[in-house]
Amino acid sequence: MTYTDTDETATDESPAAPEEVEQTDSELGRHLLTARGFHWIYGTSGDPYALTLRAESDDPVVLARRIRESETPLWQSAAGAWVTGRHGVAADVLADPRLSLRHADLPGPQRHVFSDAWSNPLLCHIVPLDRAFLHASGADHARWERSAAPVLGAAAADGHRKSAERVHQETADGLGAAFDLMADYSRPVATEAAAALLGVPDAQRTRFARACLALGVALDAALCPQPLAVTRRLTEAIEDVRALVGELVAARRAEPGDDLLSTVLSRGSADSAGSRAQDALAVGVLTAAVGVEFTAGLINNALEALLAHPRQWALLGESPELAAGAVEETLRHAPPVRLESRIAAEDLTLAGQDIPAGAQVVVHVGAANRDPEAFLAPDHFDLTRPPGPGHLSLSGPHTALFGAFARLQAETAVRTLRERHPRLAPADGVQRRMRSPVLGGVLRCALTTSA
């Protein structure tokens, strides 16, 4: 596999530095195993963040509580990162412009080979995801969010509601007496919605869905080394979706439509048509790499929480308008993105701690969203929870970009499934992917429609 860096994501904050790194399976495998080994080594001391990164059998809610209840609001893990699970500190970290997704002094691929693993393991960018635009600068992400707002912003949600209802109703009506929530509902509706946003032709829908499935591990892969075969599929899917979206961008440049890519092309960077095309490529790739899995995860987490709390499920049936509250409470109670990682661009002080430039700072969103200092009865799932301090689940550049899109799809999902299948019930426990500390990715969630 060859990783290349071009000027496609270059800005003043992330200058281009042409570089090519070729890795054999042996080299890449050794790199992944080394990172995995350090997670295990640091976890043996009981470090809750290292155990979170291991993402094996430990209860993630218990680990999140331990991270939040550390003696200091911001503390340094044995794994090197400065970590917080306190709501106030987490909000400050996520809003601080001095903290970025990338290293300020490392142009090109954000990837660290463990040449000096014992003294500086650098567990913040396990594999380079620049080709998926996941490690672009804050300025880039802000521009992409602005240019996509007419289609992805909150004000645009009502315009997508009818088409979302149609897709969800058709999918719900096609479910059998027993089905898998993620495989048969959540991911298909999220993928279909994303394909419609991008204007993916029918003939390319299967290819798009296959790429989205492989891309589903992307956010986890940045912090937790995936198996070699999974990593290879991920990098191949990135290139495939780049090629597919690139074809769509070229077609929209020749013949604009009313889709997301056409909107970004018309509103993106004014520097040149080429820059606008790169912005459209970035938004399209991020839709596949983040938008689909984030949305599917939110749908799954919402249904899992509702079915685990029968009174809340019954209340939703009595008052379908509470669907929005159910989704908002899910974002707080069971966020589909649990960890947000940042890099200090300069020496700074946070929560009384001196953080050197280049250090990793991690917010445990799940822990912060259950901080008793911010939320009453934080471990209780309540879709009628009154307004209060905001949850932090849409405070990252990736989640903010797709927040309104995911909300709409999840609201439609819980309302549709409650109406179409009021006797929906778990058939077995939820099985989650190992090595999924960021997403808590679902492997299987079996339900029945006639309990």
Side-chain angles (χ1 to χ4, degrees), residues 22-343:
E22 293 188 9
Q23 287 183 295
T24 64
D25 282 352
S26 177
E27 291 168 336
L28 178 57
R30 184 166 59 250
H31 170 79
L32 297 171
L33 285 172
T34 300
R36 187 71 174 158
F38 275 100
H39 289 167
W40 278 92
I41 291 168
Y42 296 138
T44 57
S45 67
D47 185 295
Y49 178 62
L51 290 171
T52 297
L53 292 179
R54 279 183 11 180
E56 294 290 348
S57 59
D58 300 276
D59 186 335
V61 174
V62 172
L63 291 177
R65 185 182 302 119
R66 288 180 56 197
I67 286 173
R68 185 181 61 245
E69 294 177 352
S70 177
E71 290 185 8
T72 56
L74 181 68
W75 54 277
Q76 189 169 25
S77 163
W82 291 86
V83 186
T84 186
R86 308 281 182 93
H87 186 275
V89 177
D92 289 344
V93 168
L94 293 174
D96 197 320
R98 300 170 298 175
L99 295 163
S100 174
L101 295 173
R102 57 187 297 115
H103 291 270
D105 62 347
L106 181 62
Q110 299 291 287
R111 170 182 170 273
H112 312 298
V113 177
F114 296 125
S115 58
D116 188 16
W118 285 107
S119 62
N120 190 19
L122 289 174
L123 297 170
C124 45
H125 297 92
I126 301 299
V127 294
L129 295 169
D130 308 78
R131 297 283 289 173
F133 301 95
L134 290 175
H135 297 151
S137 71
D140 285 337
H141 279 95
R143 187 177 68 255
W144 298 334
E145 186 175 350
R146 288 193 304 270
S147 62
V151 175
L152 289 180
D158 284 342
H160 302 299
R161 198 170 299 278
K162 285 187 177 180
S163 62
E165 289 173 350
R166 175 184 56 79
V167 171
H168 283 262
Q169 289 168 5
E170 290 176 355
T171 306
D173 290 345
L175 297 172
F179 68 98
D180 183 85
L181 179 60
M182 178 60 93
D184 299 327
Y185 189 91
S186 302
R187 186 171 285 117
V189 295
T191 304
E192 175 63 22
L197 280 180
L198 299 177
V200 178
D202 290 344
Q204 298 287 359
R205 292 291 174 99
T206 300
R207 174 188 175 188
F208 181 73
R210 185 169 55 248
C212 290
L213 180 61
L215 288 165
V217 302
L219 290 177
D220 283 314
L223 295 180
C224 180
Q226 304 298 299
L228 176 62
V230 174
T231 304
R232 287 300 195 202
R233 285 197 296 271
L234 170 61
T235 55
E236 290 165 2
I238 290 171
E239 297 309 314
D240 190 36
V241 83
R242 282 178 66 98
L244 175 56
V245 174
E247 294 165 6
L248 296 176
V249 170
R252 300 302 182 276
R253 291 178 73 178
E255 188 175 346
D258 58 359
D259 56 279
L260 176 58
L261 299 178
S262 296
T263 299
V264 176
L265 283 167
S266 67
R267 292 172 52 89
S269 170
D271 294 343
S272 68
S275 296
R276 290 192 294 273
Q278 288 300 329
D279 285 351
L281 177 66
V283 171
V285 171
L286 286 169
T287 299
V290 176
V292 170
E293 198 68 16
F294 177 55
T295 301
L298 180 57
I299 293 171
N300 250 73
N301 290 0
L303 266 295
E304 182 184 350
L306 285 164
L307 295 178
H309 299 82
R311 177 58 192 143
Q312 301 295 308
W313 181 246
L315 188 59
L316 179 64
E318 297 164 6
S319 303
E321 68 276 7
L322 290 175
V327 171
E328 208 62 24
E329 179 69 341
T330 301
L331 284 166
R332 184 200 68 81
H333 184 266
V337 174
R338 301 170 176 175
L339 302 176
E340 290 280 355
S341 175
R342 300 290 185 272
I343 305 299

